[in-house]
Amino acid sequence: MINIGEYNTLTILREKEPGLFLSDEEGDEVLLPNRYVPKEFKIWDKLEVFVYLDNDERLVAVTDRPYITKGDFALLRCNDVTSHGAFLDWGMVKELFCPFKEQAFKMKKGGWYLVHCYLDEETNRLVASSKTNHFLDNKELTVSQFEEVDLIVSHPSEIGMNVIVNKKHLGLIFNDDIFKDLSVGDRLKGIVKKIRPDNKLDIALGQIGYRNIEPNAEAILNELEDNSGFLNLTDKSSPEDIKEALQMSKKSFKKAVGTLYKQRIITIEDDGIRLVE
């Protein structure tokens, strides 16, 4: 089956005037237009292509790689707004359409919006929606406490930053756990800090408790190596100075320094920490 909005690995069947005809294992065919045909190829070669409907509503295969695929989330720029809706730049010749009913806020030309891409079953077209929460569900969680997860920064709130967890669930990073600048659309790793009784997810950047020691220790080592083996930071340094230099809390800094000191990797001096030669 050829899947619209996804990458498909297809077989080259034949070459015709408009391009190459590709086929899946079930015998379904799709055209790869001449502009995408590789310089060298053989009949029966396999090609990885992206499949969607072109400007003429024809099913086509392309070798372009869009910024977003079906079922994914991405931050996209609005190229234009018409009486029908907004048209977004997703790196393809045909722009990605976002109807007004799928806009959380009215889109404007030149604006950037976090959207979800899905297949409209009635039209067979790929469509964008900025109502991203409609595509997330916390009723049946697929994550557990302390598990490392993939995050996409969604939108800010008064108490923190909402994030999309593993492209399936909604989570929240509380302000107290944010130690670096976050922007909508950022992709990063995190940890499930807590699962609340109502299945709400508290997310932390990095890891928690003893699990947090090694990554932070490595971060400090990297900074030491980049600064000739010395950092002007101690346990008396302000949380603000530590956050600015290392993007971590003072508590995490002290734990990591303790680990490095016990392993005799650093020495602790009155005005900072030094890498042991």
Side-chain angles (χ1 to χ4, degrees), residues 187-199:
R187 294 174 182 263
L188 60 162
K189 296 286 186 179
I191 289 291
V192 178
K193 183 177 181 180
K194 183 178 181 180
I195 300 177
R196 298 184 178 274
D198 54 2
N199 273 8

Side-chain angles (χ1 to χ4, degrees), residues 143-160:
V143 297
S144 56
Q145 190 174 18
F146 302 127
E147 181 179 339
E148 184 180 70
V149 290
D150 293 315
L151 305 175
I152 302 173
V153 177
S154 177
H155 58 280
S157 72
E158 293 182 357
I159 58 175

Side-chain angles (χ1 to χ4, degrees), residues 179 234-239 242-243 248-255:
F179 300 107
T234 70
D235 60 358
K236 296 180 181 179
S237 298
S238 70
I242 293 171
K243 178 181 177 181
M248 69 179 67
S249 68
K250 184 171 182 177
K251 182 178 180 180
S252 295
F253 169 75
K254 292 173 69 174
K255 286 184 178 179

Side-chain angles (χ1 to χ4, degrees), residues 74-82 85-89 96-116 127-132:
L75 189 70
L76 302 181
R77 182 182 185 275
C78 177
N79 281 348
D80 196 14
V81 178
T82 69
F87 292 85
L88 310 178
D89 176 13
L96 185 62
F97 180 58
C98 182
F100 289 119
K101 67 177 182 178
E102 292 296 337
Q103 297 177 22
F105 301 97
K106 189 174 181 180
M107 293 182 174
K108 298 181 180 180
K109 183 178 180 179
W112 290 82
Y113 303 93
L114 182 68
V115 298
H116 176 77
V127 180
S129 173
S130 63
K131 297 180 178 180
T132 54

